[in-house]
Every structure is written in structure tokens, then in C-alpha cells.
Amino acid sequence: MAAGAVTQDTSATTVRTARRVPFGAALEYDHFISDPDYTALFVSHCDMIFPMNALKWDALQACPGEFDFSRADDILSFAETLGRGTYGHTFVWYNALPQWVEEIDRPAQAEAALIDHVRTVASRFSGRVPVWDVVNEVIAHDPAHEGPWRDSLWMRLLGPAHVDIAFSAAAEAAPGAELAVNDYDLEFTGPRYDARREAVLDLVRRLQDRQLRIDAIGIQGHLYPEIPIDHQGLGRFIRDLEALGVGYRLTEIDVIDWNLPPDAALRDEMAAEHVGNLLDAAFSAALPRSVSTWGLSDRYSWISDVMPHRAGAPNRPLPFDEALKPKPMYEVIQRYLSA
Ligand code: G3I
């Protein structure tokens, strides 16, 4: 167990509220180690606790054939000791690749590396990680103009078959795990988002045509309050998935608040309302298998690095504030999960 974690009070092995849908959050290893109060927040509020970055390729296999499972093990063991669920993010992504993978330039080498990585990681955690994002963000940002698939090393060397290869290896090495496709910009109103939802449905059909098991779609839920949720479009998407026998999860919820007014209370209300709109549209169609946020408190978020608030105000993207106090967003999420 990690140094920072042993100081946690692990006596609370059950979360306070019985929820109809489990609530989880992604935990970055450095914060898990260095910030016991932050980690305690996960213990108090999460049914699922899972690694934000420790299961990515660059964290697990920085050098060819040399796997380091220690950070992922620490977080997973922590969740297991508490009796909490967890989540596997992710085998295949265009990002978070070590230099040696970025330098691969032959299809056969790419295929061998991909199969070896998925097999090794999936079998190492088989029986412990109940669901895997087999592929993350493989749909083009703007499918109508770029074609359905996102550019990546895997696409350039193997084409769309890299997704089939990954699903086939994952099904073999982790037969009991739920296998998912995870992606962003699937919940908004507008032609680009319609095209992205359609591309995901096509991907599901493609895998099923090849007799490959696909169990769920991860709808990330990185929300921009200036872009309205497509209540009907998202609902139709979830029902279309259901008709194909595929469930869904909300996997990475946060609110990109860089364009919202600096006033913190107002911003929190607007963020909560937008998350409520997402949950309303999604839950009206079918219950998700889980709802997770990408981090838990405003103390740490990728949004502060990538999309800082326009007026220089600290970002407030998550359900708890920097002082670890619940915000309106948390109340909204709990209302849907516990109803
Ligand atoms: O851990 C090291 C730390 O030791 C070092 O001091 C520091 C210096 O830069 O880097 C730290 O690693 C960073 C890590 O985040 C932890 O903060 C990596 O450089 C950085 O690349 C990494 O970024 C993550 C990013 O994915 C790439 O893996 C973000 O935390 C993470 O929030 C983000 O998550 C993605 C999802 O996987 C997919 N969906 C979008 C989401 C947000 O971009």
C-alpha cells in the first residue's frame, strides 16, 4: 500500500448513501500519495475509486517489455481494501504513449506491441478490474470533415483494424471484464456531435459484425456550459446503444468553466445546472452503469492546466471545492444517483 494511503482511516468500508447507480472518481497517483485529506474525500463519497493515469501505457510500460504495475496496484488495492469498485482506463489511446511506442514505424511491430500490451495488462488485472476502456478517443474530433477515425499512431500503421485487434486481445485476456469504448463530445447539440454519436454507433456495429464483444460506451462528459446538452439526441443515442445490446457509463464528468462569470457562487450554480442537464437527458433514456467524475475536488484538475479561467479566477470544475466542501454539483449528482 502506498505511503500516503496507510494514514487514511479505512474503517469506513461502505459509502454512506445506498445509490441505485454507483458513483466514482478518478484518482491521480501523485495526489493519492501526497494528499491524505484529498484521498479521504474519495473514501467518504465514492463507490468506485480508480486510477486516473496509472493504468495508461506510459505509466505501465515506459520501456519495451518492462512493466511497472506498482502505482496502479497501490490505487486498486486501496479501493479493494475498502470494498469499493474500480475501473480500467485505458489500453489504447493516441496519447500517453512512451517515446519507444511513438517511434514504431512498421505495422507488424505496432500490432505486436499492441497485442502484447493489452494481453499483459488485461491478464495481470483479470478478476480485479471489472471494466476496461479498451480504446479511448478513437473517433475523429469532427467526423464529417476528417473521416470517422481519429488520427493516431495506431490508425496510421494499422488502420481501424487496431480497434478490432485490441478488443480481440482484451476479450481473450480478461474474459470476465466489461469491454468499453470511451469518448468525448457525445452529449451536445449540433451536427458535429450528431456525427460523433453516429460514428460511435458505427464502431459498435463494426465490432459486432466481426463477432467481437463490446459491452458499453463511456460517455466522458467533459462539459462546456456554452454548448447545450442535446436531450433528444443523447437519449436517442443511448436507446440505439441499448437496441444493440450495449450499455453506457458516464465516465469523466467535469465542467470546463473558463468562459463562465468569475463569481464563484454563480459559476457553481451554472456548472451544477449543466451537469443536471446531462444527467436528466441520460437518465431519462436508461440508467447508466456508473457515474464518475474526473477528479473529485477543484484542488486538482487538468482543466486548470489546459483551459484556465479567462479572467484568471481559479477553475471550479468538480463536485467539491478546493477546501473539499461539497458544491451544488455534488448535490445534483447525488439526487440522480439516489432517486
Ligand atoms: O506524475 C508526473 C509528475 O511526477 C511530474 O512531476 C509532472 C511534471 O509534468 O508530470 C506528472 O505526470 C502528468 C500527469 O498528468 C499527472 O499530473 C503527466 O505529465 C500528464 O501528461 C498527465 O496528464 C493527464 C492526461 O490525461 C494525459 O495522460 C491528465 O492528468 C489527465 O487528466 C488526462 O486525462 C484525460 C483522459 O485520460 C481521457 N479523456 C480526457 C482527459 C483529460 O485530458
Side-chain angles (χ1 to χ4, degrees):
M1 173 106 14
V6 287
T7 63
Q8 298 300 317
D9 172 12
T10 56
S11 57
T13 51
T14 50
V15 183
R16 315 285 178 266
T17 331
R19 301 179 174 116
R20 61 177 175 161
V21 173
F23 174 66
L27 178 55
E28 159 55 31
Y29 182 77
D30 289 353
H31 309 142
F32 169 61
I33 292 299
S34 65
D35 190 341
D37 292 341
Y38 179 67
T39 301
L41 193 68
F42 285 70
V43 178
S44 299
H45 297 284
C46 294
D47 307 300
M48 297 162 57
I49 301 173
F50 57 93
M52 177 180 282
N53 296 312
L55 284 169
K56 291 175 180 172
W57 194 312
D58 58 355
L60 291 176
Q61 195 188 177
C63 299
E66 289 176 26
F67 287 85
D68 177 0
F69 299 113
S70 59
R71 284 164 292 185
D73 269 336
D74 282 351
I75 297 178
L76 294 175
S77 303
F78 182 66
E80 286 161 356
T81 304
L82 293 162
R84 306 299 161 81
T86 187
Y87 191 91
H89 175 84
T90 172
F91 294 136
V92 180
W93 192 20
Y94 70 84
N95 198 357
L97 293 172
Q99 193 57 35
W100 71 270
V101 176
E102 297 280 9
E103 285 168 4
I104 292 176
D105 57 5
R106 286 183 299 116
Q109 200 189 353
E111 182 168 354
L114 185 60
I115 292 174
D116 178 61
H117 184 83
V118 175
R119 268 195 196 144
T120 305
V121 178
S123 56
R124 173 66 169 65
F125 294 110
S126 186
R128 290 181 71 195
V129 173
V131 42
W132 277 103
D133 290 337
V134 177
V135 297
N136 185 48
E137 301 172 4
V138 292
I139 302 302
H141 184 71
D142 186 355
H145 297 101
E146 300 161 25
W149 302 91
R150 186 181 186 117
D151 180 51
S152 70
L153 171 114
W154 309 113
M155 267 307 288
R156 286 192 293 277
L157 292 173
L158 298 170
H162 81 273
V163 176
D164 314 336
I165 293 166
F167 269 87
S168 171
E172 198 186 304
E178 177 183 310
L179 304 182
V181 165
N182 190 48
D183 222 311
Y184 68 95
D185 280 3
L186 297 174
E187 54 283 274
F188 303 124
T189 306
R192 184 167 72 77
Y193 313 106
D194 291 336
R196 288 180 57 78
R197 288 186 284 268
E198 205 44 59
V200 170
L201 289 167
D202 286 345
L203 168 52
V204 169
R205 292 185 201 104
R206 173 195 171 90
L207 289 167
Q208 292 183 336
D209 286 349
R210 288 164 173 72
Q211 320 297 325
L212 291 163
R213 178 166 65 87
I214 156 95
D215 302 304
I217 298 301
I219 297 172
Q220 291 185 0
H222 295 293
L223 303 181
Y224 298 81
E226 58 271 39
I227 314 178
I229 301 293
D230 188 340
H231 196 284
Q232 282 194 346
L234 180 59
R236 194 163 47 240
F237 176 58
I238 290 168
R239 285 189 295 273
D240 286 348
L241 289 172
E242 264 203 330
L244 291 165
V246 171
Y248 83 101
R249 294 172 183 268
L250 297 168
T251 52
E252 302 187 14
I253 293 176
D254 52 22
V255 174
I256 297 159
D257 62 337
W258 60 346
N259 287 324
L260 291 185
D263 179 84
L266 178 59
R267 197 150 27 115
D268 288 351
E269 287 301 335
M270 293 174 82
E273 185 185 340
H274 207 62
V275 170
N277 291 343
L278 168 69
L279 297 179
D280 189 46
F283 277 64
S284 308
L287 284 187
R289 295 181 183 180
S290 61
V291 171
S292 300
T293 52
W294 203 243
L296 195 55
S297 130
D298 296 337
R299 199 175 273 192
Y300 309 110
S301 167
W302 68 287
I303 294 171
S304 315
D305 297 331
V306 179
M307 287 175 274
H309 192 272
R310 303 274 193 210
N315 290 84
R316 302 179 67 83
L318 286 159
F320 291 82
D321 70 11
E322 275 201 67
L324 312 181
K325 296 280 176 283
K327 294 160 53 184
M329 187 191 300
Y330 186 67
E331 310 306 328
V332 167
I333 293 173
Q334 293 322 304
R335 200 160 66 232
Y336 279 90
L337 300 196
S338 305

